[in-house]
């Protein structure tokens, strides 16, 4: 840990507010385009992502002008170990595979079949690009990058770990709160959403800590999103799921696969891996 006393709480607040503001502006821009133009939904989502990513890169540009070492500090480079990177990539895929097999075995799903059509693969590719621009890249750069770097200047790893995920939760819910405050829309935040975001934030930071690169938390973020949208949420994608099945009850796979298997399973795996690294000072 860097014991530099020059931690800058205002910087943490500024980064958190900017991330929340950019998310809100991008989302509202998309809503405006959908309501006032004839642009297709996929293009609007892509434009939302471009806007959020560009705004984030602008902030990184100005930060880098003040601190030339910021890219290395936030670990926006290669992994500490190629072996750890491979392990980190394999873990979510193994958990997803085991989750699907066990769900079928336990009777949570039935009539399971692959749906690897050109339409589905195209939708998956387009959604991955959009998710990278609108969610994975800007959120990880702000939260697990700039904000976490500020936290680690002063606090221990455990304190920084939980602090960044609380800030992640703030950024995630702030868009809903702003919509409600500015446009009178009902707040659609649920306890299960708050729980998901909290544990997901822990996992993402542990992934970065284990591999030593922010890119792995970005990759993990993408894997989770696409699995949630094209596998566990397949019943809601109108035939665009990678796997087609009948659920025992609506939302069974979201709870079992996305949360229990992928999020909590990854939390257990990466907690053990990071603990071993810390214990042996690897």
């Amino acid at each position: 840990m860097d014991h530099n006393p020059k931690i800058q709480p205002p910087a943490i607040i500024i980064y958190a507010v900017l991330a929340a503001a950019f998310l809100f502006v991008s989302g509202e821009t998309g809503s405006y385009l959908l309501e006032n133009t004839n642009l297709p939904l996929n293009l609007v989502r892509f434009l939302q992502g471009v806007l959020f990513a560009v705004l984030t890169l602008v902030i990184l540009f100005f930060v880098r002008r003040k601190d030339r070492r910021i890219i290395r500090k936030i670990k926006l480079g290669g992994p500490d170990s190629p072996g750890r990177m491979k392990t980190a990539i394999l873990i979510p895929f193994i958990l997803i595979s085991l989750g699907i097999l066990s769900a079928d075995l336990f009777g949570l799903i039935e009539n399971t079949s692959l749906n690897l059509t050109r339409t589905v693969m195209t939708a998956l590719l387009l959604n991955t690009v959009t998710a990278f621009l609108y969610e994975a890249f800007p959120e990880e750069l702000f939260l697990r990058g700039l904000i976490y770097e500020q936290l680690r200047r002063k606090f221990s790893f455990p304190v920084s770990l939980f602090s960044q995920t609380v800030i992640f939760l703030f950024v995630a819910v702030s868009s809903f709160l702003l919509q409600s405050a500015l446009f009178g829309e009902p707040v659609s935040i649920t306890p299960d959403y708050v729980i998901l975001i909290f544990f997901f934030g822990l996992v993402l930071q542990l992934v970065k800590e284990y591999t030593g690169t922010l890119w792995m938390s970005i990759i993990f973020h993408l894997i989770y999103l696409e699995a949630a949208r094209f596998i566990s949420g397949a019943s809601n994608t109108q035939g665009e799921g990678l796997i087609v099945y009948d659920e025992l009850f609506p939302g069974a796979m979201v709870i079992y696969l996305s949360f229990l298997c992928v999020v909590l399973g990854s939390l257990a795996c990466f907690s053990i891996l990071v603990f071993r690294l810390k214990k042996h000072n690897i």
Side-chain angles (χ1 to χ4, degrees):
M1 180 181 66
D2 185 356
H3 292 279
N4 186 349
K6 296 181 180 179
I7 185 172
Q8 303 175 31
I12 296 175
I13 295 172
I14 289 170
Y15 290 145
V17 170
L18 284 174
F22 292 169
L23 177 61
F24 174 74
V25 169
S26 301
E28 290 305 308
T29 299
S31 297
Y32 175 83
L33 291 175
L34 286 175
E35 293 173 3
N36 296 277
T37 70
N38 294 320
L39 294 176
L41 177 60
N42 287 336
L43 178 57
V44 170
R45 288 176 175 171
F46 175 75
L47 293 175
Q48 284 179 303
V50 170
L51 178 58
F52 197 0
V54 168
L55 290 172
T56 302
L57 287 173
V58 169
I59 296 301
L60 181 61
F61 171 78
F62 283 109
V63 173
R64 192 169 183 271
R65 289 185 64 181
K66 295 183 64 176
D67 184 355
R68 289 290 180 180
R69 298 173 61 242
I70 191 62
I71 300 298
R72 188 171 69 176
K73 287 180 178 179
I74 64 175
K75 299 186 177 181
L76 194 62
D80 290 341
S81 165
R84 290 183 214 162
M85 188 77 170
K86 293 176 184 177
T87 300
I89 292 174
L90 282 174
I91 285 175
F93 285 108
I94 291 173
L95 291 173
I96 291 168
S97 300
L98 291 175
I100 295 169
L101 291 173
S102 59
D104 189 66
L105 180 64
F106 297 152
L108 290 176
I109 57 174
E110 57 183 15
N111 302 322
T112 307
S113 62
L114 291 174
N115 186 31
L116 305 179
T117 63
R118 179 177 296 180
T119 300
V120 171
M121 300 309 293
T122 300
L124 174 64
L125 177 61
L126 292 175
N127 192 273
T128 300
V129 173
T130 300
F132 172 82
L133 293 170
Y134 186 60
E135 294 163 291
F137 176 73
E139 289 180 4
E140 294 309 305
L141 194 144
F142 268 114
L143 274 299
R144 262 61 66 178
L146 296 173
I147 289 175
Y148 184 75
E149 188 270 334
Q150 287 286 320
L151 290 169
R152 283 294 277 145
R153 291 187 182 191
K154 181 66 176 180
F155 303 116
S156 65
F157 169 68
V159 172
S160 299
L161 172 66
F162 284 95
S163 296
Q164 64 80 28
T165 203
V166 170
I167 297 172
F168 182 40
L169 184 58
F170 160 77
V171 171
V173 304
S174 61
S175 179
F176 297 103
L177 297 177
L178 283 171
Q179 286 178 339
S180 177
L182 296 178
F183 304 111
E185 298 181 10
V187 179
S188 55
I189 302 169
T190 58
D192 56 318
Y193 178 77
V194 172
I195 293 171
L196 170 62
I197 292 298
F198 181 80
F199 285 106
F200 190 42
L202 293 178
V203 172
L204 290 169
Q205 190 59 61
L206 289 171
V207 169
K208 179 192 173 187
E209 194 73 18
Y210 175 66
T211 59
T213 175
L214 188 64
W215 286 110
M216 188 58 230
S217 64
I218 294 172
I219 292 171
F220 188 97
H221 201 142
L222 283 174
I223 293 172
Y224 171 81
L225 290 175
E226 300 316 302
R229 290 165 183 169
F230 288 87
I231 299 179
S232 60
S235 61
N236 300 318
T237 56
Q238 300 179 343
E240 288 191 352
L242 286 171
I243 299 176
V244 178
Y245 51 79
D246 296 322
E247 293 183 293
L248 179 63
F249 59 87
M253 286 296 277
V254 172
I255 298 171
Y256 181 73
L257 182 63
S258 291
F259 184 65
L260 293 178
C261 293
V262 179
V263 175
L264 294 189
S266 295
L267 180 62
C269 291
F270 285 104
S271 293
I272 294 170
L273 292 171
V274 171
F275 175 77
R276 289 182 67 250
L277 288 181
K278 300 292 184 183
K279 182 179 179 180
H280 298 289
N281 293 318
I282 298 176

